């Protein structure tokens, strides 16, 4: 048993909450700190498997000088109990697209709470939220709300299997995460605890390679229930000049021809590409869509949504039809979260948040690559991808992922007060944040250039970051 610890609280007085974060300092100093943060990792891992409730928040995803725990966030900033403050480019795993603790969104959530939060029957807010989502996304006739993207995608897969009477799942190999459920995890290297028959039911295909999906369909005729992929991740849909169609449109056509349910996972792209989803940007109409992340600016809201003929399999108003037990979650329609969703949609539309995300991302990528080039490391550290959701890579001499260099780069950015595990940003990232990020990039790239010449291990302070999907710890 872990040793008993005092039940320490980091909730403070009203005055402290009005000005919750430490003052900005150029050196990110921890002088005057009254909290020793060195023990948080041990305490977290003693009571939480993995030390956090998503593996991408774990110790093995950050350099050793990263804050072991965070106390709060406001706008584009987060801070730790020891007084360190950072501009954040993690943004709660991309779930916060406006900014942390946005007053308008928080106030809406409180209004939902004050109405009882969760009632004995469906609520007015639940109805309004469902009608709002249906009005925003052209492919959506019906929606079921839930609390996370994993639940939504698993419900979508279940719907597809029920609708087609088939078993197999085809999922895109390049898209890193769909669900914590066995149907997906069984197709990664982490197969412990998953039955072989479950592993064999999920097949993979390559993004922007329609032939790889066509081969699966030919290899397993009339056996594939659904194709599931994100509309875009690191790559955007390629266009076939001869046919005048893009890759997603080709996937849709193939699914229609073979009676396969087309599932588009918009957990990340939804309400970030366009208010109508990336499906509107790329001209496709999926049978089922899933949403999450930026739906409610950090509040727990996700959804599985789609065509009536598929979604109605989970209905109870079709007498004599065999039932499908779709989603039944006590807290799936909490009024706090759905009120935050409605307020988030209002805020996104009124403040043109989505164009800001595209603009800021383009500026950030340009600065990132320009500074890398100036320091001669452009072949080893580079940013790319769609501007609304870019990525950065660290590559070795052969062009393979270089985790030691990624760790060093993240380590040096933290030294400059920038938490950059990946590239996610919000409406509250503005010109000042960009300027401070550019200064941090200059200093960090300078160190990385030296390390590439002299040996990265010489500059690393701790173990290197590891991939989440690996068979052994």
């Amino acid at each position: 048993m872990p040793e008993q610890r005092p039940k320490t609280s980091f909730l403070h007085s009203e005055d402290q909450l009005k000005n919750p974060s430490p003052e900005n300092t150029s050196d990110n100093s921890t002088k005057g700190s009254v909290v020793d943060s060195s023990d948080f990792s041990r305490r977290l891992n003693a009571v939480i498997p993995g030390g956090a409730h998503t593996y991408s928040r774990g110790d093995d995803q950050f350099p050793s000088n990263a804050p072991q725990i965070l106390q709060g966030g406001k706008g584009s900033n987060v801070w730790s109990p020891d007084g360190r403050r950072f501009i954040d480019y993690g943004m709660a795993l991309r779930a916060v697209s406006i900014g942390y603790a946005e007053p308008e969104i928080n106030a809406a959530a409180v209004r939902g709470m004050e109405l009882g939060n969760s009632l004995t029957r469906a609520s007015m807010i639940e109805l309004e939220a469902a009608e709002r989502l249906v009005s925003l996304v052209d492919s959506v006739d019906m929606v079921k709300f839930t609390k996370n993207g994993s639940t939504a995608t698993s419900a979508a897969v279940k719907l597809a299997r029920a609708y087609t009477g088939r078993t197999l799942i085809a999922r895109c190999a390049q898209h890193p995460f769909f669900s914590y459920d066995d149907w997906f995890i069984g197709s990664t290297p982490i197969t412990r605890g998953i039955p072989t028959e479950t592993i064999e039911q999920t097949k993979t295909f390559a993004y922007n390679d329609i032939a790889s999906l066509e081969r699966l369909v030919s290899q397993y005729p009339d056996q594939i229930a659904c194709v599931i992929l994100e509309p875009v991740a690191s790559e955007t849909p390629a266009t076939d000049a001869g046919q005048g169609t893009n890759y997603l449109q080709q996937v849709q056509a193939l699914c229609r021809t073979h009676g396969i349910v087309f599932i588009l996972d918009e957990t990340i792209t939804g309400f970030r590409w366009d208010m109508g989803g990336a499906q509107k940007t790329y001209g496709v109409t999926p049978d089922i869509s899933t949403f999450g992340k930026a739906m409610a600016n950090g509040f727990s809201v996700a959804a599985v949504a789609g065509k009536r003929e598929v979604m109605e399999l989970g209905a109870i108003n079709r007498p004599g039809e065999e039932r499908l037990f779709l989603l039944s979650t006590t807290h799936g329609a909490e009024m706090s979260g759905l009120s935050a969703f409605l307020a988030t949609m209002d805020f996104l539309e009124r403040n043109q948040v989505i164009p800001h995300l595209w603009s800021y991302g383009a500026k950030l990528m340009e600065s990132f690559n320009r500074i890398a080039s100036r320091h001669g490391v452009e072949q080893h550290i580079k940013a790319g991808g769609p501007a609304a959701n870019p990525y950065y890579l660290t590559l070795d001499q052969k062009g393979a992922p270089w985790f030691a260099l990624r760790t060093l780069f993240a380590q040096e950015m933290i030294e400059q007060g920038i938490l950059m595990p990946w590239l996610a940003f919000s409406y509250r990232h503005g010109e000042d944040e960009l300027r401070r990020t550019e200064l941090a990039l200059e200093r960090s790239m300078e160190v990385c250039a030296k390390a590439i010449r002299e040996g990265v291990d010489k500059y690393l302070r701790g173990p290197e970051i590891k991939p989440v999907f690996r068979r052994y710890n």
Side-chain angles (χ1 to χ4, degrees), residues 21-42:
S21 55
E23 293 297 320
N24 289 330
T25 57
S26 59
D27 63 355
N28 207 28
S29 173
T30 61
K31 290 180 180 178
S33 173
V34 296
V35 177
D36 178 7
S37 67
S38 61
D39 195 34
F40 282 121
S41 177
R42 186 189 66 78

Side-chain angles (χ1 to χ4, degrees), residues 444-463:
S444 299
M445 296 286 189
E446 181 180 2
V447 173
C448 288
K450 292 178 183 177
I452 290 169
R453 294 192 300 268
E454 302 171 14
V456 173
D457 289 347
K458 177 180 176 181
Y459 290 85
L460 271 183
R461 301 183 188 177

Side-chain angles (χ1 to χ4, degrees), residues 57 74-78 86-101 272 293-294 297-298 419 421-429:
R57 287 184 169 105
K74 180 68 176 176
S76 62
N77 288 264
V78 293
F86 306 90
I87 296 175
D88 187 20
Y89 284 95
M91 296 311 294
L93 283 63
R94 297 185 174 87
V96 176
S97 62
I98 297 172
Y100 289 116
R272 193 179 296 272
K293 297 290 187 186
N297 197 49
L419 189 61
W422 46 82
L423 297 178
F425 35 85
S426 72
Y427 180 69
R428 296 303 178 192
H429 285 76

Side-chain angles (χ1 to χ4, degrees), residues 117-118 123 125-126 145-147 329-336 338:
N117 200 40
S118 186
S123 70
I125 290 174
E126 184 175 344
F145 291 110
T146 183
K147 304 306 283 186
T329 55
T330 300
H331 302 296
E334 274 188 310
M335 289 190 283
S336 55
L338 293 182

Side-chain angles (χ1 to χ4, degrees), residues 74-243:
K74 180 68 176 176
S76 62
N77 288 264
V78 293
W79 61 92
S80 57
D82 60 8
R84 292 193 291 168
R85 177 179 175 137
F86 306 90
I87 296 175
D88 187 20
Y89 284 95
M91 296 311 294
L93 283 63
R94 297 185 174 87
V96 176
S97 62
I98 297 172
Y100 289 116
E102 188 65 37
E104 181 178 326
I105 311 303
N106 287 357
V110 170
R111 288 195 297 273
M113 291 166 59
E114 290 176 342
L115 287 170
N117 200 40
S118 186
L119 306 176
T120 304
R121 298 208 64 185
S123 70
M124 289 293 296
I125 290 174
E126 184 175 344
L127 174 60
E128 186 180 349
E131 289 178 338
R132 183 67 172 275
L133 184 59
V134 169
S135 74
L136 286 168
V137 185
D138 291 342
S139 69
V140 172
D141 298 320
M142 303 182 80
V143 57
K144 271 272 198 176
F145 291 110
T146 183
K147 304 306 283 186
N148 60 69
S150 288
T151 308
T153 54
S154 291
V157 166
K158 187 175 187 179
L159 273 168
R161 284 172 160 168
Y163 185 75
T164 61
R166 302 172 182 174
T167 301
L168 300 186
I169 300 161
R171 71 96 170 167
C172 184
Q174 284 74 30
H175 296 165
F177 188 79
F178 288 105
S179 176
Y180 55 68
D181 282 327
D182 290 355
W183 69 265
F184 170 71
I185 299 298
S187 65
T188 77
I190 311 174
T191 57
R192 186 177 181 181
I194 303 175
T196 301
E197 54 268 30
T198 300
I199 295 171
E200 293 173 349
Q201 289 173 353
T202 298
K203 312 299 180 183
T204 60
F205 62 92
Y207 190 81
N208 270 341
D209 181 0
I210 194 64
S212 72
L213 184 56
E214 289 171 338
R215 285 192 294 271
L216 272 186
V217 173
S218 297
Q219 187 176 354
Y220 302 100
D222 301 323
Q223 295 177 63
I224 298 176
C226 61
V227 168
I228 183 168
L229 74 165
E230 296 180 62
V232 53
S234 58
E235 294 181 74
T236 55
T239 299
D240 185 320
Q243 296 185 16

Side-chain angles (χ1 to χ4, degrees), residues 233-260:
S234 58
E235 294 181 74
T236 55
T239 299
D240 185 320
Q243 296 185 16
T245 57
N246 65 42
Y247 170 71
L248 292 177
Q249 292 167 338
Q250 294 164 17
V251 171
Q252 176 178 290
L254 185 64
C255 288
R256 298 283 190 271
T257 298
H258 294 276
I260 298 168

